[in-house]
Short mmCIF file of all heavy atoms in Angstrom, two decimals:
data_model
loop_
_atom_site.label_atom_id
_atom_site.label_comp_id
_atom_site.label_asym_id
_atom_site.label_seq_id
_atom_site.Cartn_x
_atom_site.Cartn_y
_atom_site.Cartn_z
N ILE N 169 0.25 -6.72 -8.71
CA ILE N 169 -0.85 -7.51 -9.28
C ILE N 169 -0.82 -7.37 -10.80
O ILE N 169 -0.27 -6.39 -11.32
CB ILE N 169 -2.25 -7.06 -8.76
CG1 ILE N 169 -2.53 -5.58 -9.14
CG2 ILE N 169 -2.39 -7.27 -7.28
CD1 ILE N 169 -3.97 -5.15 -8.86
N ILE N 170 -1.39 -8.36 -11.48
CA ILE N 170 -1.61 -8.25 -12.93
C ILE N 170 -3.11 -8.10 -13.15
O ILE N 170 -3.89 -8.91 -12.65
CB ILE N 170 -1.13 -9.52 -13.68
CG1 ILE N 170 0.31 -9.87 -13.35
CG2 ILE N 170 -1.35 -9.34 -15.20
CD1 ILE N 170 1.36 -9.02 -14.00
N LEU N 171 -3.46 -7.04 -13.85
CA LEU N 171 -4.86 -6.80 -14.21
C LEU N 171 -5.06 -7.15 -15.68
O LEU N 171 -4.22 -6.79 -16.51
CB LEU N 171 -5.22 -5.32 -14.05
CG LEU N 171 -5.41 -4.75 -12.65
CD1 LEU N 171 -5.73 -3.26 -12.76
CD2 LEU N 171 -6.53 -5.46 -11.90
N GLU N 172 -6.17 -7.80 -15.98
CA GLU N 172 -6.43 -8.13 -17.37
C GLU N 172 -7.85 -7.70 -17.74
O GLU N 172 -8.79 -7.90 -16.95
CB GLU N 172 -6.31 -9.65 -17.56
CG GLU N 172 -6.50 -10.09 -18.99
CD GLU N 172 -6.10 -11.54 -19.15
OE1 GLU N 172 -6.89 -12.41 -18.74
OE2 GLU N 172 -4.99 -11.80 -19.63
N ALA N 173 -8.01 -7.13 -18.93
CA ALA N 173 -9.34 -6.70 -19.40
C ALA N 173 -10.21 -7.93 -19.61
O ALA N 173 -9.78 -8.91 -20.20
CB ALA N 173 -9.20 -5.93 -20.70
N THR N 174 -11.43 -7.87 -19.09
CA THR N 174 -12.35 -9.00 -19.26
C THR N 174 -13.77 -8.46 -19.50
O THR N 174 -14.09 -7.35 -19.08
CB THR N 174 -12.28 -9.92 -18.01
OG1 THR N 174 -13.08 -11.05 -18.21
CG2 THR N 174 -12.73 -9.24 -16.75
N GLN N 175 -14.60 -9.24 -20.19
CA GLN N 175 -15.99 -8.83 -20.43
C GLN N 175 -16.75 -8.89 -19.11
O GLN N 175 -16.69 -9.91 -18.41
CB GLN N 175 -16.68 -9.81 -21.40
CG GLN N 175 -16.16 -9.77 -22.80
CD GLN N 175 -16.64 -8.54 -23.57
OE1 GLN N 175 -17.59 -7.88 -23.16
NE2 GLN N 175 -15.95 -8.22 -24.64
N LYS N 176 -17.48 -7.83 -18.80
CA LYS N 176 -18.25 -7.83 -17.56
C LYS N 176 -19.49 -8.72 -17.71
O LYS N 176 -20.23 -8.60 -18.67
CB LYS N 176 -18.67 -6.40 -17.23
CG LYS N 176 -19.33 -6.28 -15.89
CD LYS N 176 -19.74 -4.88 -15.59
CE LYS N 176 -20.47 -4.86 -14.25
NZ LYS N 176 -21.06 -3.58 -13.98
N GLU N 177 -19.66 -9.61 -16.74
CA GLU N 177 -20.88 -10.41 -16.67
C GLU N 177 -21.39 -10.34 -15.25
O GLU N 177 -20.64 -9.95 -14.35
CB GLU N 177 -20.57 -11.88 -17.02
CG GLU N 177 -20.37 -12.09 -18.50
CD GLU N 177 -19.71 -13.42 -18.82
OE1 GLU N 177 -19.86 -14.35 -18.01
OE2 GLU N 177 -19.04 -13.49 -19.86
N GLU N 178 -22.61 -10.73 -15.01
CA GLU N 178 -23.17 -10.63 -13.67
C GLU N 178 -22.33 -11.42 -12.67
O GLU N 178 -22.02 -12.60 -12.91
CB GLU N 178 -24.61 -11.12 -13.67
CG GLU N 178 -25.42 -10.37 -12.63
CD GLU N 178 -26.83 -10.89 -12.51
OE1 GLU N 178 -27.41 -11.21 -13.55
OE2 GLU N 178 -27.30 -10.98 -11.37
N ASN N 179 -21.95 -10.76 -11.59
CA ASN N 179 -21.15 -11.38 -10.52
C ASN N 179 -19.83 -11.98 -11.00
O ASN N 179 -19.29 -12.89 -10.38
CB ASN N 179 -21.95 -12.48 -9.80
CG ASN N 179 -23.05 -11.88 -8.96
OD1 ASN N 179 -22.93 -10.71 -8.54
ND2 ASN N 179 -24.09 -12.63 -8.72
N CYS N 180 -19.29 -11.48 -12.12
CA CYS N 180 -17.99 -12.00 -12.59
C CYS N 180 -16.89 -11.43 -11.71
O CYS N 180 -17.07 -10.42 -11.02
CB CYS N 180 -17.74 -11.64 -14.05
SG CYS N 180 -17.41 -9.90 -14.32
N SER N 181 -15.73 -12.09 -11.71
CA SER N 181 -14.66 -11.56 -10.89
C SER N 181 -14.01 -10.36 -11.59
O SER N 181 -13.93 -10.32 -12.81
CB SER N 181 -13.64 -12.64 -10.56
OG SER N 181 -13.07 -13.13 -11.73
N GLY N 182 -13.59 -9.39 -10.78
CA GLY N 182 -12.98 -8.20 -11.35
C GLY N 182 -13.06 -7.02 -10.39
O GLY N 182 -13.62 -7.13 -9.30
N VAL N 183 -12.47 -5.92 -10.81
CA VAL N 183 -12.52 -4.69 -10.01
C VAL N 183 -13.89 -4.06 -10.25
O VAL N 183 -14.25 -3.73 -11.39
CB VAL N 183 -11.39 -3.71 -10.43
CG1 VAL N 183 -11.49 -2.42 -9.63
CG2 VAL N 183 -10.02 -4.36 -10.26
#
Side-chain angles (χ1 to χ4, degrees):
I169 61 171
I170 306 284
L171 286 179
E172 183 169 77
T174 184
Q175 292 285 343
K176 187 180 176 188
E177 284 165 26
E178 211 184 320
N179 289 335
C180 71
S181 61
V183 178

